[in-house]
Amino acid sequence: MANSSFVTEFLLLGFSSLGDLQHVLFVVFLSLYMIILSGNFTIISVIFLDHSLHTPMYFFLCVLSVSETLYTIVILPKMLINLFSILRTLSFMSCATQMFFFLGFAVTNCLLLGVMGYDRYAAICQPLHYPILMRWRMCGQLAGACIITGFLISLVGTTLVFILPFCGSNKVDHYFCDISPVIRLACAETYTNELIIFICGVLVLVLPFIFICISYGFIVRTILRIPSAEGKRKAFSTCASHLTVVIVHYGCASSVYLRPSAKYTSGKDRLVTVTYTIITPLLNPMVYSLRNKDVQIAIRKIIGKTGFSPKIL
């Protein structure tokens, strides 16, 4: 240690091993990024402008879209720059900052999906008590709790990584400062730090997912008791979009964060990480706009193509 120099910056290897294919990736990722930004901006604008969408379900969707947008801004612009750049370095503090905000928004998204599951449970299983259970003050408190908890957990995770000494290689085998590829560069014992991070991962991913599964267990039981086929279809349609995003988001995130970093594999992790840093934020506005009749009608109203009022389920 005495003869080692401490790392002051990190080199993001990203997709450098792909050579000229990086230019193709740049075009693909830039196109997807533009769709993500425009899609989420559309969702946020439509919910804000159309008063018929001023309901708890769309309020949480709006918060999720804002979080998803900021989440991608933390990662994708730097990744796009690096695809055309020879110098792909990040200072020590910039790397820590990127990890903090990435984890903060990622955890916030997980918790918001759990709250959205509870909202669907309250709407379908407790319709008479729904206005009380999901009053606006409660919605604001739930959204605020998700954000605060998300960044507190992020602070713990980021601190556990960057209190370690980095005095060897500075080559991060990833396209952003994620936990596993960075902590592997530490020149100290990381078992305790990884264990605490793993426990946080279980709390963030497993508990909300179990809560969502239990909520949907009650939802399915309630829907099956609806006598009309049309009523069942409408009830299921309000949950399909949320379930699609939950399965993709939790599935990909769990495969990366619910295992020791010793089993980190750069190629596989980059592929899976692309899914939840690009595909999931892209999936949100697509499933909530293309599959949601309320949002579709609201968009048509705003652009002046129709005067029909949407029917909130």
Side-chain angles (χ1 to χ4, degrees):
M1 291 286 290
N3 295 325
S4 300
S5 58
F6 285 93
V7 171
T8 59
E9 64 180 15
F10 291 96
L11 175 65
L12 301 176
L13 298 181
F15 300 96
S16 57
S17 61
L18 298 180
D20 291 338
L21 282 177
Q22 292 179 95
H23 299 161
V24 177
L25 287 179
F26 176 85
V27 175
V28 173
F29 289 154
L30 178 61
S31 300
L32 293 176
Y33 186 40
M34 292 298 102
I35 296 173
I36 290 170
L37 292 180
S38 59
N40 280 298
F41 178 76
T42 300
I43 292 289
I44 295 166
S45 301
V46 168
I47 293 174
F48 180 77
L49 294 173
D50 194 300
H51 291 282
S52 64
L53 298 183
H54 291 181
T55 64
M57 180 176 74
Y58 292 107
F59 167 74
F60 290 121
L61 174 57
C62 184
V63 176
L64 179 64
S65 294
V66 172
S67 181
E68 290 278 20
T69 301
L70 296 174
Y71 167 81
T72 56
I73 288 174
V74 171
I75 299 172
L76 297 189
K78 179 61 177 175
M79 181 189 74
L80 291 170
I81 292 171
N82 286 347
L83 286 172
F84 266 110
S85 175
I86 297 176
L87 189 63
R88 309 177 182 203
T89 57
L90 268 182
S91 68
F92 189 90
M93 185 57 67
S94 296
C95 186
T97 301
Q98 186 185 57
M99 183 181 294
F100 171 73
F101 282 104
F102 161 72
L103 291 176
F105 289 120
V107 176
T108 297
N109 294 343
C110 288
L111 299 179
L112 281 171
L113 288 173
V115 171
M116 292 172 75
Y118 173 72
D119 172 72
R120 291 298 82 210
Y121 160 79
I124 296 173
C125 301
Q126 304 288 336
L128 298 179
H129 298 93
Y130 184 71
I132 299 174
L133 292 174
M134 301 304 295
R135 57 191 182 275
W136 284 114
R137 182 179 180 183
M138 176 61 69
C139 292
Q141 290 173 343
L142 287 172
C146 289
I147 296 169
I148 293 171
T149 303
F151 279 92
L152 285 177
I153 293 176
S154 173
L155 180 62
V156 172
T158 306
T159 302
L160 287 169
V161 172
F162 285 95
I163 59 172
L164 295 167
F166 293 87
C167 52
S169 173
N170 70 334
K171 295 180 180 179
V172 178
D173 197 6
H174 214 314
Y175 58 86
F176 70 99
C177 289
D178 203 359
I179 292 175
S180 294
V182 173
I183 203 170
R184 290 176 72 248
L185 301 179
C187 49
E189 176 57 51
T190 63
Y191 175 78
T192 302
N193 305 60
E194 288 185 60
L195 178 61
I196 298 173
I197 291 172
F198 176 79
I199 293 172
C200 290
V202 170
L203 293 175
V204 168
L205 292 171
V206 176
L207 292 184
F209 184 72
I210 292 175
F211 177 76
I212 292 172
C213 290
I214 293 173
S215 298
Y216 273 99
F218 286 109
I219 289 172
V220 170
R221 187 181 68 174
T222 301
I223 291 176
L224 292 177
R225 293 176 179 176
I226 298 175
S228 68
E230 181 64 16
K232 290 179 180 179
R233 187 195 63 79
K234 288 184 177 181
F236 273 121
S237 67
T238 64
C239 303
S241 300
H242 178 249
L243 269 179
T244 302
V245 175
V246 164
I247 292 171
V248 175
H249 184 88
Y250 280 94
C252 295
S254 297
S255 68
V256 174
Y257 295 105
L258 295 185
R259 57 160 174 68
S261 72
K263 295 185 179 180
Y264 168 77
T265 54
S266 59
K268 178 183 176 182
D269 273 23
R270 274 199 299 269
L271 179 61
V272 177
T273 307
V274 164
T275 302
Y276 68 80
T277 57
I278 298 179
I279 304 303
T280 302
L282 177 67
L283 190 65
N284 283 349
M286 290 184 68
V287 299
Y288 281 112
S289 58
L290 297 179
R291 293 175 57 88
N292 191 302
K293 291 183 179 179
D294 295 335
V295 175
Q296 292 172 4
I297 295 173
I299 291 174
R300 294 191 193 105
K301 285 175 60 179
I302 290 174
I303 63 177
K305 290 185 178 180
T306 180
F308 293 103
S309 297
K311 187 184 296 181
I312 300 299
L313 298 175

